[in-house]
């Protein structure tokens, strides 16, 4: 199994991915689960590698989701 690292970038309602090892591999998803599925699928289609491991590079806004309001 091969390890790929992918940047997660929020673009509106989408999470966009680009792998560091293969910059030509880019994809997107609306949720983090869909995003992971799409990244693995794109890697398999572009390289033929199956069963890959992903190392995600998450900015704080993506990892934490929506900001919560404090009670006044």
């Amino acid at each position: 199994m091969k390890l790929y690292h992918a940047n997660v970038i929020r673009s509106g309602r989408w999470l966009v991915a680009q792998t560091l090892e293969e910059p030509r591999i880019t994809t997107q998803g609306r949720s983090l689960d869909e995003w992971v599925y799409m990244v693995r699928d794109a890697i398999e289609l572009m390289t033929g590698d199956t069963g890959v491991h992903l190392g995600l590079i998450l900015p704080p806004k993506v990892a934490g989701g929506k900001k919560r309001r404090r009670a006044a």
Side-chain angles (χ1 to χ4, degrees):
M1 289 189 191
K2 188 170 178 179
L3 173 65
Y4 285 86
H5 296 88
N7 278 324
V8 181
I9 301 164
R10 183 170 294 282
S11 178
R13 301 176 93 189
W14 293 91
L15 298 173
V16 180
Q18 182 176 33
T19 60
L20 302 181
E21 292 77 11
E22 293 284 340
R24 65 193 173 110
I25 298 175
T26 58
T27 190
Q28 62 188 16
R30 289 194 187 223
S31 68
L32 198 54
D33 288 337
E34 181 182 28
W35 181 90
V36 168
Y37 173 82
M38 296 299 287
V39 172
R40 286 192 171 130
D41 188 51
I43 291 169
E44 184 176 338
L45 289 170
M46 298 293 285
T47 67
D49 292 337
T50 59
V52 299
H53 289 284
L54 293 176
L56 307 181
I57 302 167
L58 295 168
K61 288 184 180 178
V62 172
K66 293 182 180 180
K67 290 184 181 180
R68 295 186 181 181
R69 290 183 159 185
R70 289 185 179 181

